[in-house]
Amino acid sequence: MGVLIVDDEPLARARLARQLQSIDGCQLLGEAADGESALQQLDSLDPDLLLLDIEMPGENGLQLANQISNRPNPPAIIFCTAHDEFALPAFAVAASGYLLKPVNVEQLAQAIAQARRLSKPQLLERTAEPAQATGGRRQIKAVSRRGVQLLNIEDIRCFVAEDKYVIAHHSAGETLLDESLKELEAEFGQRFVRVHRNTIVAKMHITGLHKEGDGYRVTLTGCAHRPVVSRRLLASIKALLTEMA
């Protein structure tokens, strides 16, 4: 994945460049200190990913991202900024990630892993495709003190309600969401099925149903967590597996 860093602060660019060296599959193609220089390098370098600051002299990062998103086959964009108030405008221009400075290498690696799952043509198609046609959003946004993380719906194995929050179990681990299970089920009911009062699982990732003790659990691809199936819903889950076989 070829990367272009766009930031007016030399120290910030140097920090990101050092971190990229430790992330497999990433190659630093160039650096730019402003939007005009970034556009020139976009044409000559054709990067797959931009690490983009927001507040810069001249055209800011949001304006630059809006220009880039209208190009054929645009690169993915991860914003790296000191300001958390721009998160919503950033995702309005189809950002793949939003990290707060100082960015650490673990956060950067995770954001890049999310971005690289879609090719540039797929990213363009995703931004143009109506959400209603795919049974809800294509991604879920999770906001924490570490920044903003985007989770691809196809990577999520299950949603589990715990206390006032919901935990999304996905291919890269677990993420805490500030959304209700009821709302998620209403939005993604085409993709997920309820197996318990506190759990819905992705149909496409179900690999089996196994008896453990007095109950049953479903197994999911690439997920150590095995959700419990309630007795009330057991018959419907068995019927679903028979239908899928």
Side-chain angles (χ1 to χ4, degrees), residues 210-216:
H210 299 278
K211 189 172 184 179
E212 294 189 13
D214 294 332
Y216 284 83

Side-chain angles (χ1 to χ4, degrees), residues 37-227:
S37 176
L39 288 173
Q40 293 173 354
Q41 295 197 56
L42 275 175
D43 293 329
S44 60
L45 300 176
D46 189 27
D48 302 298
L49 172 67
L50 261 66
L51 300 181
L52 180 59
D53 189 18
I54 290 184
E55 291 202 327
M56 300 183 294
E59 190 173 49
N60 67 31
L62 292 172
Q63 294 169 322
L64 178 62
N66 188 53
Q67 282 195 56
I68 293 170
S69 67
N70 291 322
R71 291 186 167 206
N73 301 334
I77 295 174
I78 296 175
F79 284 104
C80 302
T81 176
H83 305 277
D84 60 2
E85 67 268 25
F86 296 117
L88 291 179
F91 290 115
V93 292
S96 297
Y98 191 97
L99 301 177
L100 294 177
K101 295 178 179 179
V103 176
N104 67 48
V105 68
E106 291 81 11
Q107 295 169 0
L108 182 61
Q110 188 173 38
I112 290 175
Q114 294 284 343
R116 78 195 327 161
R117 290 194 178 99
L118 295 177
S119 65
K120 289 190 286 186
Q122 287 172 321
L123 281 167
L124 182 62
E125 180 181 356
R126 181 195 67 193
T127 60
E129 187 175 4
Q132 291 86 347
T134 58
R137 291 166 288 172
R138 301 297 296 272
Q139 293 182 319
I140 287 182
K141 180 180 68 175
V143 182
S144 69
R145 290 180 299 174
R146 297 181 299 174
V148 180
Q149 180 184 6
L150 282 180
L151 302 177
N152 293 323
I153 293 300
E154 60 264 30
D155 290 336
I156 296 175
R157 273 50 177 176
C158 62
F159 294 107
V160 181
E162 292 190 8
D163 297 324
K164 297 180 180 179
Y165 300 94
V166 168
I167 297 175
H169 294 260
H170 49 86
S171 57
E174 302 174 8
T175 299
L176 199 66
L177 304 177
D178 190 16
E179 302 195 37
S180 75
L181 192 66
K182 184 178 180 180
E183 291 170 342
L184 291 168
E185 183 179 26
E187 183 174 1
F188 302 112
Q190 296 178 20
R191 298 169 179 254
F192 289 76
V193 61
R194 185 175 286 271
V195 297
H196 194 275
R197 61 179 177 79
N198 71 342
T199 306
I200 59 175
V201 303
K203 298 176 185 178
M204 66 178 291
H205 289 298
I206 297 176
T207 59
L209 178 67
H210 299 278
K211 189 172 184 179
E212 294 189 13
D214 294 332
Y216 284 83
R217 291 178 180 266
V218 290
T219 54
L220 304 166
T221 59
C223 183
H225 181 65
R226 297 191 295 179

